[in-house]
Amino acid sequence: MQIVSFLSTQGRRMRYAALPFICGAVIAGLAIPTLTIAQSGKNDAVYRQLGLFGDIFQRVRESYVDEVDDKDLVEAAINGMLTSLDPHSSFLNNDHFSDMQVQTKGKFGGLGIEITMEDGVIKIVSPIDDTPAAEAGLQPEDLIIAVNDEPIRGMTLSDAVDRLRGEVGSSVTVTIKRGAKDPFDVTLKRDTIKIRSVRAKMFDGIGYLRITTFSEQTTPGLTKEVDKMFREHGQDLKGFILDLRNNPGGLLNEAISVSDAFLEKGEIVSTRGRRAENASRAYARPGDIANGLPLVVLINSGSASASEIVAGALKDHRRAVLLGTRSFGKGSVQTVIPVSGNSAMRLTTARYYTPSGVSIQATGISPDIEVALARIETLDGGDTREEDLKGALDNAKDGKEGEPANAEKPDVTPATDQSKIDYQLARALDLIRGVSIFTDVKSGS
């Protein structure tokens, strides 16, 4: 909403700025006819096109096989104009505008997926944690080609969203195309999506922070969890992992705030639009909630928009090591502009640039360390050492008998320990442990 207000202010400035130009043109004399004729010709072409629209609108009202609602026709025409610009611009009628306002507050109804339109089908940017979509195993880059056996191709993004939404508790079947595999159906039960935007765990002195989306609760939740870790573990903390995998983005100001939380100074992100005077830059203020401890950021192809702003800022300032796979590449700014009738338009107004001046759009953020998504599994056999050999000598210590060489040792790792099955997370933990050991050795020398 701050951007909207800023644009409105600029519009007022432009209207006032036009007055001296007109006065100057009167003095110049000869400049008036050329400018007026060119402007008049441009306006005439616009009026002719609007007249064409009016003719077609009237013909549809009179001749279409079924009676159509005028309001629906106009909204469809507006949405068609906006969606022809790019996949992220669209018209938000009363219901959709209300849904969007609720979503940014962190609670809404649906399946729990962030989607975009690609080549006429719906592409999943990422499922949201603990939602029907995540529990059903939907993955980033899955394509939804049909909803309840109705093909998506030919629909607008808003039409597809309407078919995916419904009453809480009702079911919907989506047809998924995943890579080169044959399409398959997944039936989901719609639910109220309550987003807990920040989740935290401790892994052997390393703080794990997962941000699932950037809503109004994100920065307060992040600060609360980090403060709690310092209170409970203090000097034993070795570093932090910030998990932005499958995070579809959210509010720009929250992305800036999260980046600022880990940075002491410097630019966080810049936005550049059609006019140079509308460019903006955001800068960090002093203060690092992690107290300078090592930081690893996990990203993947489901990390989009606001996630990429955070990853790009922390990478460019060398505050964090990025680990995982290249991010989604959504580097455009959408401004939600309210219009008459409690509706709004979501319009792409600028592009994001990282502190080093690199555009995120369609390129994404590349990790410092490329680690593909994989699952850790225990193989039969495992490692064989001296103590595993039949008849191996015991390690008698201080004159006492040791345990039998091949005695079975209890498994002290809980079966639900994510770090033992998530390969990317395991590598991030190893990285921080390595940095911590190196730092301890260096400080002790």
Side-chain angles (χ1 to χ4, degrees):
M1 298 302 292
Q2 291 178 342
I3 300 178
V4 176
S5 175
F6 174 74
L7 294 176
S8 300
T9 303
Q10 291 297 320
R12 290 196 294 272
R13 290 176 181 172
M14 290 175 64
R15 288 198 292 272
Y16 294 139
L19 293 175
F21 177 82
I22 294 173
C23 294
V26 172
I27 296 172
L30 294 177
I32 297 175
T34 304
L35 179 63
T36 304
I37 291 171
Q39 188 65 42
S40 177
K42 185 176 181 180
N43 288 341
D44 288 344
V46 172
Y47 293 143
R48 282 195 298 271
Q49 293 299 315
L50 290 175
L52 174 63
F53 171 79
D55 291 342
I56 293 174
F57 177 78
Q58 187 62 30
R59 183 60 60 89
V60 170
R61 294 178 68 197
E62 296 174 350
S63 305
Y64 186 66
V65 62
D66 296 318
E67 186 174 350
V68 290
D69 184 86
D70 291 349
K71 179 174 176 289
D72 291 342
L73 274 180
V74 172
E75 287 188 0
I78 295 171
N79 198 51
M81 173 176 64
L82 293 171
T83 56
S84 70
L85 301 173
D86 65 76
H88 307 293
S89 295
S90 62
F91 175 69
L92 303 171
N93 60 22
N94 296 1
D95 293 338
H96 292 167
F97 188 30
S98 298
D99 288 346
M100 187 216 68
Q101 290 171 313
V102 171
Q103 182 172 342
T104 59
K105 294 184 183 297
K107 180 181 178 181
F108 59 97
L111 302 177
I113 48 175
E114 178 76 9
I115 58 176
T116 187
M117 183 71 79
E118 182 175 288
D119 298 328
V121 296
I122 298 298
K123 181 177 183 178
I124 296 178
V125 176
S126 73
I128 299 170
D129 286 354
D130 300 326
T131 64
E135 291 169 1
L138 298 188
Q139 300 177 7
E141 301 188 25
D142 280 351
L143 300 179
I144 301 177
I145 60 177
V147 178
N148 289 332
D149 294 327
E150 183 180 3
I152 289 291
R153 192 170 295 279
M155 294 184 190
T156 64
L157 184 60
S158 296
D159 290 337
V161 169
D162 286 340
R163 284 159 176 76
L164 291 170
R165 289 174 175 165
E167 294 292 329
V168 171
S170 63
S171 296
V172 60
T173 299
V174 294
T175 304
I176 301 295
K177 183 72 170 67
R178 180 175 295 166
K181 297 180 180 178
D182 293 334
F184 58 93
D185 290 341
V186 178
T187 299
L188 305 162
K189 182 177 286 189
R190 299 181 177 98
D191 196 2
T192 299
I193 310 302
K194 298 178 182 178
I195 299 178
R196 180 183 166 193
S197 60
V198 180
R199 301 173 185 273
K201 291 181 182 178
M202 286 296 299
F203 292 103
D204 188 28
I206 299 171
Y208 171 81
L209 303 160
R210 169 149 178 77
I211 298 180
T212 57
T213 188
F214 288 87
S215 66
E216 293 176 359
Q217 290 85 25
T218 301
T219 303
L222 178 68
T223 303
K224 178 182 176 181
E225 294 293 350
V226 172
D227 288 345
K228 181 181 177 182
M229 288 176 175
F230 273 110
R231 285 197 311 270
E232 295 180 354
H233 302 278
Q235 298 299 319
D236 293 332
L237 276 173
K238 302 172 184 176
F240 293 93
I241 294 172
L242 185 63
D243 190 349
L244 299 179
R245 293 175 297 177
N246 297 335
N247 183 320
L251 299 176
L252 170 61
N253 63 327
E254 286 297 316
I256 293 171
S257 182
V258 168
S259 302
D260 187 9
F262 294 102
L263 293 173
E264 292 282 0
K265 61 180 180 179
E267 183 179 305
I268 294 173
V269 66
S270 62
T271 60
R272 306 174 203 172
R274 184 173 176 178
R275 296 181 176 86
E277 62 269 22
N278 289 341
S280 66
R281 297 177 185 274
Y283 294 91
R285 297 163 296 181
D288 176 1
I289 63 172
N291 292 338
L293 289 175
L295 179 64
V296 174
V297 177
L298 294 174
I299 59 172
N300 65 0
S301 62
S303 307
S305 192
S307 299
E308 295 173 289
I309 290 174
V310 175
L314 297 179
K315 177 183 180 181
D316 282 1
H317 286 290
R318 299 183 182 277
R319 176 61 187 91
V321 175
L322 268 58
L323 186 149
T325 56
R326 186 167 66 90
S327 63
F328 184 76
K330 182 187 176 297
S332 58
V333 183
Q334 280 68 50
T335 302
V336 177
I337 306 171
V339 294
S340 60
N342 197 34
S343 301
M345 59 188 292
R346 182 191 285 115
L347 187 66
T348 300
T349 54
R351 289 183 174 87
Y352 293 125
Y353 292 83
T354 68
S356 60
V358 175
S359 172
I360 299 170
Q361 180 61 28
T363 59
I365 303 293
S366 296
D368 297 301
I369 303 174
E370 183 92 16
V371 177
L373 179 64
R375 185 181 181 91
I376 302 173
E377 296 181 353
T378 302
L379 301 178
D380 293 337
D383 297 327
T384 300
R385 297 185 174 88
E386 170 68 18
E387 65 266 24
D388 299 311
L389 299 178
K390 185 178 180 179
L393 294 175
D394 295 337
N395 179 13
K397 196 171 184 180
D398 298 329
K400 299 178 182 179
E401 292 293 326
E403 292 182 357
N406 54 0
E408 185 175 340
K409 295 179 174 60
D411 183 6
V412 295
T413 302
T416 57
D417 188 347
Q418 184 185 357
S419 68
K420 301 304 179 185
I421 58 175
D422 184 339
Y423 185 65
Q424 291 173 328
L425 174 58
R427 298 291 71 77
L429 291 167
D430 287 344
L431 181 58
I432 291 184
R433 290 184 186 113
V435 171
S436 178
I437 292 171
F438 176 77
T439 303
D440 290 344
V441 171
K442 186 176 180 181
S443 61
S445 59

